[in-house]
């Protein structure tokens, strides 16, 4: 029963994000966008296993992005594709194809069925955080901003830094 409630809440949240074009939801998005900068732990992680959530939060903490996401959503592949289509996002094959960012709602979507490894997760999250930092859908702008985040991730992995 608990699981069912959680699932429903999750789907409602997805729906709010995915169909954010209605007036009430647009207000919600605007309210969030103008609220004080979310910091290290004030964003939500949805749909992740506890290991994934711990990992994502740790990686984002290390990267210290200029702009934090409001939410990070792990979704099934069909939902991922469906959501991308709803946002009319072009998700180029083989390029950031396991995640994308919806800038107006500062939501990062991760295709949980294509979750490859911890390292690649951090690598691509850096790219998505780059989109947020640059506030741009441009892949070049995102990669440019991601460079510093990837460097921080790499430095954190060096044994002598710990
Ligand atoms: Zn991108």
């Amino acid at each position: 029963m608990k699981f069912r409630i959680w699932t429903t809440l999750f789907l409602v949240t997805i729906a709010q994000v995915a169909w954010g074009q209605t007036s009430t939801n647009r207000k919600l998005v605007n309210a969030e966008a103008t609220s004080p900068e979310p910091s290290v732990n004030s964003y939500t992680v949805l749909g992740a296993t506890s290991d994934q959530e711990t990992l994502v939060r740790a990686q984002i903490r290390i990267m210290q992005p200029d702009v934090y996401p409001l939410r990070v959503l792990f979704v099934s592949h069909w939902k991922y594709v469906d959501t991308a289509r709803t946002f009319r996002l072009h998700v180029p094959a083989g390029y950031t194809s396991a995640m994308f960012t919806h800038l107006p709602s500062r939501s990062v979507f991760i295709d949980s069925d294509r979750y490859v490894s911890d390292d690649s997760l951090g690598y691509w999250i850096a790219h998505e955080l780059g989109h947020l930092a640059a506030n741009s859908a441009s892949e070049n702008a995102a990669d440019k901003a991601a460079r510093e985040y990837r460097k921080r991730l790499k430095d954190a992995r060096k044994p002598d830094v710990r």
Side-chain angles (χ1 to χ4, degrees):
M1 191 58 192
K2 231 177 186 173
F3 176 73
R4 173 169 271 178
I5 291 167
W6 187 87
T7 307
T8 308
L9 278 175
F10 177 55
L11 290 176
V12 166
T13 307
I14 298 268
Q16 280 175 350
V17 174
W19 298 298
Q21 308 308 326
T22 62
S23 55
T24 35
N25 283 333
R26 180 169 292 157
K27 261 182 233 148
L28 183 84
V29 167
N30 286 343
E32 281 176 343
T34 52
S35 65
E37 281 305 292
S39 60
V40 182
N41 279 318
S42 68
Y43 58 91
T44 8
V45 177
L46 287 167
T49 63
S50 61
D51 281 356
Q52 286 170 336
E53 173 163 357
T54 304
L55 181 68
V56 161
R57 287 191 184 278
Q59 287 177 330
I60 292 178
R61 197 182 319 120
I62 290 165
M63 287 188 272
Q64 298 167 42
D66 302 289
V67 179
Y68 283 85
L70 285 174
R71 51 181 93 71
V72 178
L73 304 101
F74 284 72
V75 295
S76 62
H77 184 64
W78 71 266
K79 190 67 215 172
Y80 178 86
V81 171
D82 192 52
T83 308
R85 196 176 293 138
T86 306
F87 290 148
R88 301 206 181 131
L89 288 180
H90 175 59
V91 183
Y95 193 79
T96 67
S97 54
M99 49 186 92
F100 67 82
T101 297
H102 182 240
L103 287 172
S105 64
R106 303 227 309 262
S107 303
V108 177
F109 288 82
I110 298 174
D111 184 340
S112 54
D113 293 332
R114 297 182 79 179
Y115 183 92
V116 193
S117 69
D118 296 352
D119 282 354
S120 70
L121 185 79
Y123 186 84
W124 290 117
I125 284 179
H127 175 86
E128 301 311 320
L129 294 174
H131 276 299
L132 288 171
N135 192 26
S136 165
S138 150
E139 303 303 347
N140 285 339
D143 274 335
K144 209 174 148 203
R147 226 170 282 155
E148 181 60 30
Y149 302 154
R150 285 169 180 160
K151 191 176 166 289
R152 288 173 193 164
L153 272 181
K154 214 173 147 193
D155 289 347
R157 273 200 295 270
K158 284 179 191 157
D160 55 309
V161 177
R162 284 173 194 218

